[in-house]
Coordinates of all heavy atoms in Angstrom, one line a residue:
M1 N -22.9 -8.5 -38.2 CA -23.7 -7.5 -37.5 C -23.5 -7.7 -36.0 O -23.4 -6.8 -35.2 CB -25.2 -7.8 -37.9 CG -26.2 -6.9 -37.2 SD -26.0 -5.3 -37.7 CE -27.3 -4.6 -37.0
R2 N -23.4 -9.0 -35.6 CA -23.2 -9.3 -34.2 C -21.8 -8.6 -33.7 O -21.7 -8.1 -32.6 CB -23.2 -10.9 -34.0 CG -23.1 -11.2 -32.5 CD -23.2 -12.7 -32.3 NE -23.2 -12.9 -30.8 CZ -22.6 -14.0 -30.3 NH1 -22.0 -14.9 -31.1 NH2 -22.6 -14.1 -29.0
N3 N -20.8 -8.8 -34.5 CA -19.5 -8.2 -34.1 C -19.6 -6.7 -33.9 O -19.0 -6.2 -33.1 CB -18.4 -8.6 -35.1 CG -18.0 -10.0 -35.0 OD1 -18.3 -10.7 -34.0 ND2 -17.4 -10.5 -36.1
L4 N -20.4 -6.1 -34.8 CA -20.5 -4.6 -34.8 C -21.3 -4.2 -33.5 O -20.9 -3.3 -32.8 CB -21.3 -4.0 -36.0 CG -21.6 -2.6 -36.0 CD1 -20.2 -1.9 -36.1 CD2 -22.4 -2.2 -37.3
A5 N -22.2 -5.0 -33.1 CA -23.0 -4.7 -31.8 C -22.1 -5.0 -30.7 O -22.1 -4.1 -29.7 CB -24.3 -5.7 -31.8
L6 N -21.2 -5.9 -30.7 CA -20.3 -6.2 -29.6 C -19.4 -5.1 -29.5 O -19.0 -4.7 -28.3 CB -19.7 -7.6 -29.7 CG -20.5 -8.7 -29.4 CD1 -19.8 -10.1 -29.7 CD2 -21.0 -8.7 -27.9
A7 N -18.8 -4.6 -30.7 CA -17.8 -3.6 -30.6 C -18.4 -2.3 -30.1 O -17.9 -1.5 -29.3 CB -17.3 -3.2 -32.0
F8 N -19.7 -1.9 -30.5 CA -20.4 -0.7 -30.0 C -20.6 -0.9 -28.5 O -20.4 0.1 -27.7 CB -21.8 -0.6 -30.7 CG -22.6 0.4 -30.1 CD1 -22.3 1.8 -30.5 CD2 -23.7 0.3 -29.3 CE1 -23.0 2.8 -29.9 CE2 -24.4 1.4 -28.7 CZ -24.1 2.7 -29.1
L9 N -21.0 -2.0 -28.0 CA -21.1 -2.2 -26.5 C -19.8 -1.9 -25.8 O -19.8 -1.4 -24.7 CB -21.8 -3.6 -26.3 CG -22.0 -3.9 -24.8 CD1 -23.0 -3.0 -24.2 CD2 -22.5 -5.3 -24.6
F10 N -18.7 -2.6 -26.3 CA -17.5 -2.4 -25.6 C -17.1 -1.0 -25.7 O -16.5 -0.4 -24.7 CB -16.4 -3.2 -26.5 CG -15.0 -2.9 -26.0 CD1 -14.6 -3.5 -24.8 CD2 -14.1 -2.1 -26.6 CE1 -13.3 -3.4 -24.3 CE2 -12.8 -1.9 -26.1 CZ -12.4 -2.5 -24.9
C11 N -17.3 -0.2 -26.8 CA -17.0 1.3 -26.7 C -17.8 2.0 -25.8 O -17.3 2.9 -25.0 CB -17.2 1.8 -28.1 SG -15.9 1.3 -29.2
L12 N -19.1 1.7 -25.6 CA -19.9 2.4 -24.7 C -19.5 2.1 -23.3 O -19.4 3.0 -22.4 CB -21.4 1.8 -24.9 CG -22.5 2.5 -24.0 CD1 -22.6 4.0 -24.3 CD2 -23.8 1.8 -24.2
L13 N -19.1 0.8 -22.9 CA -18.8 0.5 -21.6 C -17.4 1.0 -21.2 O -17.2 1.6 -20.1 CB -18.8 -0.9 -21.4 CG -20.1 -1.7 -21.4 CD1 -19.9 -3.2 -21.3 CD2 -20.9 -1.1 -20.3
S14 N -16.5 1.1 -22.2 CA -15.2 1.7 -21.9 C -15.3 3.3 -21.7 O -14.6 3.8 -20.9 CB -14.2 1.4 -23.0 OG -14.5 1.9 -24.2
S15 N -16.1 3.9 -22.4 CA -16.3 5.4 -22.3 C -17.0 5.5 -20.8 O -16.6 6.6 -20.2 CB -17.2 5.9 -23.3 OG -18.5 5.5 -23.3
V16 N -17.9 4.7 -20.4 CA -18.5 5.0 -19.0 C -17.4 4.8 -18.0 O -17.3 5.5 -17.0 CB -19.6 4.0 -18.8 CG1 -20.1 4.0 -17.4 CG2 -20.7 4.4 -19.8
A17 N -16.5 3.7 -18.2 CA -15.5 3.5 -17.2 C -14.5 4.6 -17.1 O -14.0 5.0 -16.1 CB -14.8 2.2 -17.6
N18 N -14.1 5.2 -18.3 CA -13.2 6.3 -18.4 C -13.9 7.6 -17.8 O -13.1 8.5 -17.4 CB -12.7 6.6 -19.8 CG -11.7 5.5 -20.3 OD1 -11.1 4.9 -19.5 ND2 -11.8 5.3 -21.6
A19 N -15.1 7.7 -17.7 CA -15.8 8.9 -17.3 C -15.7 9.0 -15.7 O -16.0 10.0 -15.0 CB -17.3 8.9 -17.7
Q20 N -15.4 7.8 -15.0 CA -15.4 7.7 -13.7 C -14.1 8.4 -13.1 O -13.1 7.7 -13.3 CB -15.5 6.3 -13.1 CG -16.8 5.6 -13.6 CD -18.0 6.2 -13.1 OE1 -18.1 6.6 -11.9 NE2 -19.0 6.3 -13.8
G21 N -14.1 9.6 -12.7 CA -12.9 10.3 -12.2 C -12.8 10.2 -10.7 O -13.6 9.7 -10.0
F22 N -11.8 10.9 -10.2 CA -11.6 11.1 -8.8 C -12.4 12.4 -8.3 O -12.6 13.3 -9.1 CB -10.1 11.3 -8.5 CG -9.3 10.1 -8.7 CD1 -8.6 9.9 -9.9 CD2 -9.2 9.1 -7.8 CE1 -7.9 8.8 -10.1 CE2 -8.6 8.0 -7.9 CZ -7.8 7.8 -9.1
Y23 N -12.8 12.3 -7.2 CA -13.4 13.5 -6.5 C -13.1 13.6 -5.1 O -12.7 12.6 -4.5 CB -15.0 13.3 -6.8 CG -15.6 12.2 -6.2 CD1 -16.1 12.2 -4.8 CD2 -15.7 11.1 -6.8 CE1 -16.6 11.1 -4.2 CE2 -16.3 9.9 -6.2 CZ -16.8 9.9 -5.0 OH -17.3 8.9 -4.5
Q24 N -13.2 14.9 -4.6 CA -12.9 15.0 -3.2 C -14.1 14.8 -2.3 O -15.3 15.2 -2.8 CB -12.3 16.4 -2.9 CG -10.9 16.5 -3.5 CD -10.2 17.7 -3.1 OE1 -10.9 18.7 -2.8 NE2 -8.9 17.8 -3.2
L25 N -14.0 14.2 -1.1 CA -15.1 14.0 -0.3 C -14.9 14.7 1.0 O -13.8 14.8 1.6 CB -15.2 12.5 0.1 CG -16.4 12.1 1.0 CD1 -17.7 12.3 0.4 CD2 -16.2 10.6 1.3
E26 N -15.9 15.5 1.4 CA -15.8 16.2 2.8 C -16.6 15.4 3.7 O -17.8 15.2 3.5 CB -16.2 17.7 2.6 CG -15.3 18.5 1.8 CD -15.7 19.9 1.7 OE1 -16.3 20.4 2.7 OE2 -15.5 20.5 0.7
K27 N -16.1 15.0 4.8 CA -16.8 14.3 5.9 C -16.3 14.8 7.2 O -15.1 15.2 7.3 CB -16.6 12.8 5.8 CG -15.2 12.2 6.0 CD -15.2 10.8 5.8 CE -13.8 10.3 6.2 NZ -13.8 8.8 6.3
P28 N -17.2 14.7 8.2 CA -16.7 15.0 9.5 C -15.7 14.1 10.1 O -15.7 12.9 9.9 CB -18.0 15.0 10.4 CG -18.9 14.1 9.7 CD -18.5 14.2 8.2
V29 N -14.7 14.6 10.9 CA -13.6 13.8 11.5 C -13.5 14.2 12.9 O -13.8 15.4 13.3 CB -12.4 13.9 10.7 CG1 -12.4 13.3 9.4 CG2 -11.8 15.3 10.7
T30 N -13.0 13.4 13.8 CA -12.9 13.7 15.2 C -11.4 14.0 15.3 O -10.5 13.1 14.9 CB -13.3 12.5 16.0 OG1 -14.7 12.3 15.9 CG2 -13.1 13.0 17.5
C31 N -11.1 15.2 15.9 CA -9.6 15.5 16.0 C -9.3 15.9 17.5 O -10.2 16.4 18.2 CB -9.2 16.7 15.2 SG -9.5 16.4 13.4
S32 N -8.1 15.7 17.9 CA -7.6 16.1 19.2 C -6.1 16.1 19.1 O -5.4 15.9 18.0 CB -8.0 15.2 20.3 OG -7.7 15.6 21.6
T33 N -5.4 15.9 20.3 CA -3.9 15.7 20.4 C -3.7 14.3 20.1 O -4.6 13.4 20.3 CB -3.3 16.2 21.6 OG1 -3.8 15.3 22.7 CG2 -3.6 17.7 21.9
L34 N -2.4 13.9 19.6 CA -2.2 12.5 19.3 C -2.3 11.8 20.7 O -2.8 10.7 20.8 CB -0.9 12.3 18.6 CG -0.4 11.0 18.3 CD1 -1.4 10.3 17.5 CD2 0.9 11.0 17.7
K35 N -1.7 12.4 21.7 CA -1.7 11.8 23.1 C -3.0 11.4 23.5 O -3.4 10.3 24.1 CB -1.0 12.8 24.1 CG -0.9 12.2 25.4 CD -0.2 13.1 26.4 CE -0.3 12.6 27.8 NZ 0.2 13.5 28.7
N36 N -4.0 12.4 23.5 CA -5.3 12.1 23.8 C -6.0 11.0 22.9 O -6.7 10.1 23.7 CB -6.2 13.4 23.7 CG -7.6 13.4 24.4 OD1 -7.7 12.5 25.3 ND2 -8.5 14.1 23.8
I37 N -5.8 11.0 21.7 CA -6.4 9.9 20.9 C -5.8 8.5 21.2 O -6.5 7.6 21.4 CB -6.3 10.3 19.4 CG1 -7.2 11.4 19.1 CG2 -6.6 9.1 18.5 CD1 -7.2 11.9 17.7
V38 N -4.5 8.5 21.4 CA -3.8 7.3 21.8 C -4.4 6.7 23.1 O -4.6 5.5 23.2 CB -2.3 7.4 21.7 CG1 -1.6 6.2 22.4 CG2 -1.8 7.6 20.4
E39 N -4.4 7.6 24.1 CA -5.0 7.2 25.4 C -6.3 6.7 25.4 O -6.7 5.7 26.0 CB -4.9 8.3 26.4 CG -3.5 8.7 26.8 CD -3.2 9.9 27.7 OE1 -4.3 10.6 27.9 OE2 -2.1 10.2 28.2
T40 N -7.2 7.4 24.5 CA -8.6 7.0 24.4 C -8.7 5.6 23.7 O -9.5 4.6 24.2 CB -9.4 8.1 23.6 OG1 -9.3 9.2 24.4 CG2 -11.0 7.6 23.5
L41 N -7.9 5.4 22.6 CA -8.1 4.2 21.8 C -7.5 2.9 22.6 O -8.0 1.9 22.7 CB -7.3 4.2 20.5 CG -7.8 5.3 19.5 CD1 -7.0 5.4 18.3 CD2 -9.4 4.8 19.1
S42 N -6.4 3.3 23.4 CA -5.9 2.1 24.2 C -6.7 1.8 25.5 O -6.9 0.7 25.8 CB -4.4 2.4 24.6 OG -4.3 3.6 25.3
G43 N -7.1 3.0 26.2 CA -7.8 2.8 27.4 C -9.3 2.4 27.2 O -9.7 1.4 27.8
T44 N -10.0 3.0 26.4 CA -11.4 2.7 26.2 C -11.8 1.7 25.3 O -12.6 0.8 25.6 CB -12.2 4.0 25.8 OG1 -11.9 5.1 26.7 CG2 -13.7 3.8 25.6
Y45 N -11.0 1.6 24.3 CA -11.2 0.6 23.2 C -10.3 -0.6 23.1 O -10.5 -1.5 22.3 CB -11.3 1.2 21.8 CG -12.5 2.3 21.8 CD1 -12.2 3.6 21.9 CD2 -13.8 1.9 21.7 CE1 -13.2 4.6 21.9 CE2 -14.7 2.8 21.7 CZ -14.5 4.2 21.8 OH -15.5 5.1 21.8
G46 N -9.2 -0.6 23.9 CA -8.2 -1.7 23.9 C -7.6 -1.8 22.6 O -7.1 -3.0 22.4
E47 N -7.4 -0.8 21.9 CA -6.7 -0.9 20.6 C -5.2 -0.5 20.8 O -5.0 0.4 21.6 CB -7.4 0.0 19.6 CG -8.8 -0.3 19.1 CD -9.4 0.4 18.1 OE1 -8.9 1.4 17.6 OE2 -10.5 -0.1 17.7
V48 N -4.4 -1.2 20.0 CA -3.0 -0.9 20.1 C -2.4 -0.5 18.7 O -3.0 -0.9 17.7 CB -2.2 -2.1 20.7 CG1 -2.6 -2.4 22.1 CG2 -2.4 -3.3 19.8
P49 N -1.3 0.2 18.7 CA -0.8 0.5 17.3 C -0.4 -0.7 16.6 O 0.3 -1.7 17.2 CB 0.4 1.4 17.7 CG 0.2 1.9 19.0 CD -0.6 0.9 19.7
H50 N -0.7 -0.9 15.3 CA -0.5 -2.1 14.6 C 0.3 -1.9 13.4 O 1.0 -2.6 12.8 CB -1.8 -2.7 14.2 CG -1.8 -4.0 13.6 ND1 -1.4 -5.2 14.2 CD2 -2.0 -4.4 12.3 CE1 -1.4 -6.2 13.4 NE2 -1.8 -5.8 12.3
W51 N 0.1 -0.6 12.8 CA 0.8 -0.2 11.6 C 1.0 1.3 11.6 O 0.2 2.0 12.1 CB -0.1 -0.6 10.4 CG 0.3 -0.1 9.1 CD1 1.2 -0.7 8.1 CD2 0.0 1.1 8.4 NE1 1.4 0.1 7.1 CE2 0.7 1.2 7.2 CE3 -0.8 2.2 8.9 CZ2 0.5 2.3 6.4 CZ3 -1.0 3.3 8.0 CH2 -0.3 3.4 6.8
N52 N 2.0 1.8 11.0 CA 2.3 3.2 10.8 C 2.8 3.4 9.4 O 3.5 2.6 8.8 CB 3.1 3.9 11.9 CG 4.5 3.5 11.9 OD1 4.8 2.3 11.4 ND2 5.4 4.3 12.4
G53 N 2.7 4.6 8.9 CA 3.2 5.0 7.6 C 3.2 6.6 7.4 O 2.5 7.2 8.2
S54 N 3.9 7.0 6.5 CA 4.1 8.4 6.3 C 3.6 8.8 4.9 O 3.8 8.1 3.9 CB 5.5 8.8 6.3 OG 6.1 8.5 7.7
G55 N 2.9 10.0 4.9 CA 2.4 10.6 3.6 C 3.3 11.8 3.3 O 4.2 12.1 4.0
A56 N 2.8 12.5 2.3 CA 3.6 13.7 1.9 C 3.6 14.8 3.0 O 4.6 15.5 3.2 CB 3.0 14.3 0.6
R57 N 2.4 15.1 3.8 CA 2.2 16.1 4.7 C 1.8 15.5 6.1 O 1.6 16.4 6.9 CB 1.3 17.1 4.2 CG 1.8 17.9 3.0 CD 0.9 19.1 2.6 NE -0.1 18.5 1.6 CZ -1.1 19.0 1.1 NH1 -1.4 20.3 1.7 NH2 -1.9 18.5 0.3
S58 N 1.6 14.3 6.2 CA 1.1 13.7 7.6 C 1.6 12.3 7.7 O 2.1 11.7 6.8 CB -0.4 13.9 7.7 OG -1.1 13.3 6.6
K59 N 1.2 11.8 8.8 CA 1.6 10.4 9.2 C 0.3 9.7 9.6 O -0.7 10.4 9.9 CB 2.6 10.4 10.3 CG 4.0 11.0 9.9 CD 4.8 11.0 11.1 CE 6.2 11.7 10.8 NZ 7.0 11.9 11.9
Y60 N 0.3 8.5 9.5 CA -0.8 7.6 9.8 C -0.5 6.4 10.8 O 0.6 5.8 10.6 CB -1.3 7.0 8.5 CG -1.7 7.9 7.5 CD1 -0.8 8.6 6.6 CD2 -3.0 8.5 7.4 CE1 -1.1 9.5 5.6 CE2 -3.4 9.5 6.4 CZ -2.4 9.9 5.5 OH -2.7 10.9 4.7
I61 N -1.4 6.2 11.6 CA -1.3 4.9 12.5 C -2.6 4.2 12.4 O -3.7 4.7 12.6 CB -1.0 5.4 14.0 CG1 0.3 6.2 14.1 CG2 -1.0 4.1 14.9 CD1 0.5 6.7 15.6
M62 N -2.5 2.9 12.3 CA -3.6 1.9 12.4 C -3.6 1.3 13.8 O -2.6 0.7 14.1 CB -3.6 1.0 11.3 CG -4.7 -0.1 11.3 SD -6.2 0.5 10.8 CE -6.1 0.6 9.1
F63 N -4.7 1.4 14.5 CA -4.8 0.8 15.8 C -5.8 -0.3 15.7 O -6.8 -0.3 14.9 CB -5.3 1.8 16.9 CG -4.5 3.0 17.2 CD1 -4.4 4.1 16.4 CD2 -3.7 2.8 18.3 CE1 -3.6 5.1 16.8 CE2 -2.8 3.9 18.6 CZ -2.7 4.9 17.8
V64 N -5.5 -1.4 16.3 CA -6.3 -2.6 16.2 C -6.5 -3.3 17.6 O -5.5 -3.3 18.4 CB -5.7 -3.7 15.3 CG1 -6.5 -5.0 15.2 CG2 -5.6 -3.2 13.8
N65 N -7.8 -3.7 17.9 CA -8.0 -4.4 19.2 C -7.8 -5.9 18.8 O -8.4 -6.5 18.0 CB -9.4 -4.3 19.6 CG -9.7 -5.0 20.9 OD1 -9.5 -6.2 21.0 ND2 -10.3 -4.3 21.9
P66 N -6.7 -6.5 19.5 CA -6.4 -7.9 19.1 C -7.4 -8.9 19.6 O -7.4 -10.1 19.0 CB -5.0 -8.1 19.9 CG -5.0 -7.1 20.9 CD -5.8 -6.0 20.4
T67 N -8.3 -8.6 20.3 CA -9.5 -9.6 20.8 C -10.7 -9.5 20.0 O -11.1 -10.6 19.5 CB -9.8 -9.2 22.3 OG1 -8.6 -9.1 23.1 CG2 -10.8 -10.1 22.8
N68 N -11.2 -8.3 19.7 CA -12.4 -8.2 18.9 C -12.2 -7.6 17.5 O -13.2 -7.5 16.7 CB -13.5 -7.4 19.6 CG -13.1 -6.0 19.7 OD1 -12.2 -5.4 19.1 ND2 -13.8 -5.3 20.6
Y69 N -11.0 -7.4 17.1 CA -10.6 -6.9 15.7 C -11.2 -5.7 15.3 O -11.3 -5.4 14.1 CB -10.9 -8.1 14.8 CG -10.2 -9.4 15.1 CD1 -10.9 -10.4 15.6 CD2 -8.8 -9.4 15.0 CE1 -10.3 -11.6 16.0 CE2 -8.1 -10.6 15.4 CZ -9.0 -11.7 15.9 OH -8.2 -12.8 16.3
T70 N -11.5 -4.8 16.2 CA -12.0 -3.4 15.8 C -10.7 -2.6 15.4 O -9.6 -3.0 15.8 CB -12.7 -2.6 16.9 OG1 -11.8 -2.5 18.0 CG2 -14.0 -3.3 17.3
W71 N -10.9 -1.6 14.6 CA -9.7 -0.9 14.1 C -10.0 0.6 14.0 O -11.2 0.9 13.8 CB -9.2 -1.4 12.7 CG -10.1 -1.4 11.7 CD1 -10.9 -2.4 11.3 CD2 -10.4 -0.3 10.8 NE1 -11.7 -2.0 10.2 CE2 -11.4 -0.7 9.9 CE3 -9.9 1.1 10.7 CZ2 -11.9 0.1 8.9 CZ3 -10.4 1.9 9.6 CH2 -11.4 1.4 8.8
T72 N -9.0 1.5 14.0 CA -9.1 2.9 14.0 C -7.9 3.4 13.1 O -6.8 3.0 13.5 CB -9.1 3.6 15.3 OG1 -10.2 3.1 16.1 CG2 -9.4 5.1 15.2
L73 N -8.2 4.2 12.1 CA -7.0 4.8 11.4 C -6.9 6.3 11.8 O -8.0 7.0 11.7 CB -7.4 4.7 9.8 CG -6.4 5.2 8.9 CD1 -4.9 4.6 9.3 CD2 -6.7 5.1 7.5
V74 N -5.8 6.7 12.2 CA -5.6 8.1 12.6 C -4.5 8.7 11.7 O -3.4 8.1 11.4 CB -5.0 8.0 14.1 CG1 -4.7 9.4 14.6 CG2 -6.0 7.4 15.0
E75 N -4.8 9.9 11.3 CA -3.9 10.7 10.5 C -3.4 11.9 11.5 O -4.2 12.4 12.2 CB -4.6 11.3 9.3 CG -3.7 12.2 8.5 CD -4.4 12.8 7.3 OE1 -5.7 12.7 7.2 OE2 -3.7 13.4 6.4
Y76 N -2.1 12.2 11.5 CA -1.7 13.1 12.4 C -0.5 13.9 11.8 O 0.3 13.5 10.9 CB -1.3 12.4 13.7 CG 0.0 11.6 13.8 CD1 1.2 12.1 14.1 CD2 -0.2 10.4 13.3 CE1 2.4 11.3 14.1 CE2 1.0 9.5 13.3 CZ 2.2 10.0 13.7 OH 3.3 9.1 13.7
T77 N -0.4 15.1 12.4 CA 0.8 15.9 12.1 C 1.5 16.3 13.5 O 1.1 15.8 14.5 CB 0.5 17.2 11.4 OG1 -0.3 18.0 12.2 CG2 -0.2 17.0 10.1
N78 N 2.4 17.3 13.6 CA 3.0 17.6 14.9 C 1.9 18.4 15.7 O 2.0 18.3 16.9 CB 4.2 18.6 14.6 CG 5.4 17.8 14.1 OD1 5.5 16.7 14.1 ND2 6.2 18.6 13.4
E79 N 1.0 19.0 15.2 CA 0.0 19.8 15.9 C -1.3 19.0 16.3 O -2.0 19.3 17.3 CB -0.4 21.1 15.1 CG 0.7 22.0 14.8 CD 1.6 21.6 13.6 OE1 0.9 21.0 12.7 OE2 2.7 21.9 13.4
I80 N -1.8 18.1 15.4 CA -3.2 17.6 15.6 C -3.2 16.2 15.0 O -2.5 15.8 14.1 CB -4.2 18.5 14.8 CG1 -5.6 18.2 15.3 CG2 -4.1 18.5 13.4 CD1 -6.6 19.3 14.9
A81 N -4.1 15.4 15.7 CA -4.4 14.0 15.1 C -5.9 14.0 14.8 O -6.7 14.6 15.6 CB -4.0 13.0 16.1
C82 N -6.3 13.2 13.8 CA -7.7 13.0 13.5 C -8.1 11.5 13.2 O -7.3 10.9 12.4 CB -8.1 13.9 12.2 SG -7.9 15.7 12.5
V83 N -9.1 11.1 13.7 CA -9.6 9.8 13.3 C -10.2 9.9 12.0 O -11.2 10.6 11.8 CB -10.6 9.3 14.5 CG1 -11.2 7.9 14.0 CG2 -10.0 9.2 15.7
I84 N -9.7 9.1 11.0 CA -10.3 9.2 9.7 C -11.0 8.1 9.3 O -11.7 7.9 8.2 CB -9.3 9.7 8.6 CG1 -8.1 8.6 8.6 CG2 -8.7 11.0 8.9 CD1 -7.1 8.8 7.5
G85 N -11.0 6.9 10.0 CA -11.8 5.7 9.8 C -11.8 4.8 11.0 O -10.8 4.7 11.8
V86 N -13.0 4.1 11.1 CA -13.1 3.1 12.2 C -13.8 1.9 11.6 O -14.6 2.0 10.6 CB -13.8 3.6 13.3 CG1 -13.1 4.7 14.0 CG2 -15.3 4.1 13.0
G87 N -13.7 0.7 12.2 CA -14.4 -0.4 11.6 C -14.1 -1.7 12.5 O -13.6 -1.5 13.6
Q88 N -14.6 -2.8 11.9 CA -14.6 -4.1 12.6 C -14.0 -5.1 11.7 O -13.8 -4.8 10.5 CB -15.9 -4.5 12.9 CG -16.8 -3.5 13.9 CD -18.2 -3.9 14.1 OE1 -18.7 -4.8 13.5 NE2 -18.9 -3.2 15.0
N89 N -13.8 -6.2 12.1 CA -13.4 -7.4 11.4 C -12.0 -7.2 10.6 O -11.9 -7.4 9.3 CB -14.4 -7.9 10.4 CG -15.7 -8.2 11.1 OD1 -15.6 -8.8 12.2 ND2 -16.8 -7.9 10.6
S90 N -11.1 -6.6 11.4 CA -9.6 -6.4 10.7 C -9.1 -7.7 10.4 O -9.1 -8.6 11.0 CB -8.9 -5.4 11.5 OG -8.5 -6.1 12.6
T91 N -8.3 -7.7 9.3 CA -7.5 -8.9 8.9 C -6.1 -8.5 8.5 O -6.0 -7.5 7.8 CB -8.2 -9.6 7.7 OG1 -9.5 -9.9 8.0 CG2 -7.4 -10.8 7.3
L92 N -5.2 -9.1 9.0 CA -3.7 -8.8 8.7 C -3.4 -9.4 7.4 O -3.5 -10.7 7.3 CB -2.8 -9.2 9.8 CG -1.3 -9.0 9.6 CD1 -1.1 -7.5 9.4 CD2 -0.6 -9.6 10.7
L93 N -3.0 -8.6 6.4 CA -2.5 -9.1 5.1 C -1.0 -9.1 5.1 O -0.5 -8.1 5.6 CB -3.0 -8.2 4.0 CG -4.6 -8.0 4.0 CD1 -4.9 -7.0 2.9 CD2 -5.3 -9.3 3.7
R94 N -0.3 -10.1 4.7 CA 1.1 -10.4 4.8 C 1.7 -10.0 3.4 O 1.4 -10.7 2.5 CB 1.5 -11.7 5.2 CG 0.9 -12.1 6.5 CD 1.9 -12.5 7.4 NE 1.4 -12.9 8.7 CZ 1.7 -12.4 9.9 NH1 2.7 -11.5 9.9 NH2 1.2 -12.8 11.0
F95 N 2.5 -9.0 3.4 CA 3.1 -8.5 2.1 C 4.7 -8.7 2.1 O 5.3 -8.3 1.2 CB 2.9 -7.0 1.8 CG 1.4 -6.8 1.5 CD1 0.5 -6.2 2.4 CD2 0.8 -7.2 0.3 CE1 -0.8 -5.9 2.1 CE2 -0.6 -7.0 0.0 CZ -1.3 -6.3 1.0
G96 N 5.2 -9.3 3.2 CA 6.6 -9.5 3.4 C 7.1 -8.5 4.4 O 6.4 -7.7 5.0
T97 N 8.4 -8.5 4.5 CA 9.0 -7.6 5.5 C 9.6 -6.5 4.9 O 10.1 -6.4 3.7 CB 10.1 -8.5 6.3 OG1 11.1 -8.9 5.4 CG2 9.5 -9.6 7.1
K98 N 9.8 -5.3 5.7 CA 10.4 -4.2 5.2 C 11.9 -4.3 5.1 O 12.5 -4.9 6.0 CB 10.0 -3.1 6.2 CG 10.6 -1.7 5.8 CD 10.1 -0.6 6.8 CE 10.7 0.7 6.3 NZ 10.4 1.8 7.3
T99 N 12.5 -3.9 4.1 CA 13.9 -4.0 3.9 C 14.5 -2.7 4.1 O 14.0 -1.6 4.0 CB 14.3 -4.5 2.5 OG1 13.7 -3.7 1.5 CG2 13.7 -5.9 2.3

């Protein structure tokens, strides 16, 4: 009986976990030219480019203030740049070097 109850509980929990799907979130973002955003982040907030990467349709830059560890994530294309995340207490994770 106990094994049956545990099996039922496992099935119930696994079905709840499988029900958790992806969803789109709409949130306000601040956008401008990349030049304007870079000037503001470096001048006003003391943040410098720390990481960059490319996606399917846009590119990303992570800015970090090396003194107080604030950070800003910027998504940009040729036409526009948008701040999509900001925060504090950034930590550099080491995954190795790019080859």
Side-chain angles (χ1 to χ4, degrees):
M1 182 67 173
R2 182 173 184 221
N3 289 342
L4 182 60
L6 288 174
F8 176 74
L9 181 61
F10 175 76
C11 289
L12 180 63
L13 291 175
S14 65
S15 65
V16 169
N18 287 333
Q20 302 297 320
F22 292 97
Y23 58 93
Q24 290 186 337
L25 177 66
E26 293 184 30
K27 65 178 186 174
V29 294
T30 302
C31 300
S32 185
T33 64
L34 182 59
K35 179 181 178 188
N36 190 28
I37 288 179
V38 170
E39 289 173 354
T40 301
L41 292 177
S42 63
T44 304
Y45 298 102
E47 295 184 355
V48 295
H50 187 71
W51 171 90
N52 69 329
S54 296
R57 290 185 271 171
S58 56
K59 297 176 184 176
Y60 302 87
I61 302 176
M62 174 75 72
F63 292 84
V64 176
N65 181 308
T67 305
N68 65 14
Y69 304 107
T70 60
W71 59 267
T72 303
L73 181 60
V74 176
E75 179 179 10
Y76 68 100
T77 64
N78 292 336
E79 298 85 25
I80 193 165
C82 298
V83 174
I84 59 173
V86 297
Q88 301 172 353
N89 303 321
S90 62
T91 302
L92 179 62
L93 305 175
R94 304 237 181 232
F95 293 105
T97 59
K98 183 178 178 181
T99 58

